[in-house]
Amino acid sequence: MTHNDLYELFREYNIRNYCKGTHVPRNSQIKCHFLPKHGNEEVGSTGSAVINSVYEEMEEENLKPNTIFGAYAALSRYFEFAISQGEIAENPVRYARSIRPDV
């Protein structure tokens, strides 16, 4: 299954199970910052290096730390969803570099 395919399931799951203030930004982060480069890749082929590259690209765009933290949180949930769907065994976000909100 590709990320584009899994995203459709993830998006629908979020809409059904979370309030608008949660599902809209979560889905947007995946759609805007992850899928453009990785949507056609197989879910099982994504490792921590890919996750780190997403963070690096966001930093190069001079996005705020809280925006990057939002991507971290969304990707973490996305890959937890992939685990629940039987697509992967481990969450690659856990092995990527740590992202913290700006305090």
Side-chain angles (χ1 to χ4, degrees), residues 26 75 101:
R26 186 179 283 172
L75 286 167

Side-chain angles (χ1 to χ4, degrees), residues 32-91:
C32 293
H33 300 293
F34 183 73
L35 291 181
K37 282 199 168 181
H38 305 288
N40 291 324
E41 297 172 4
E42 293 294 316
V43 175
S45 70
T46 303
S48 60
V50 168
I51 304 303
N52 285 333
S53 74
V54 171
Y55 302 153
E56 289 163 7
E57 289 170 15
M58 293 177 78
E59 289 168 341
E60 289 170 5
E61 292 175 29
N62 293 317
L63 296 175
K64 300 285 186 192
N66 282 345
T67 302
I68 300 169
F69 180 76
Y72 154 80
L75 286 167
S76 184
R77 286 302 307 137
Y78 173 79
F79 283 104
E80 288 299 321
F81 180 77
I83 291 169
S84 75
Q85 298 299 301
E87 291 298 319
I88 56 175
E90 292 185 300
N91 187 336

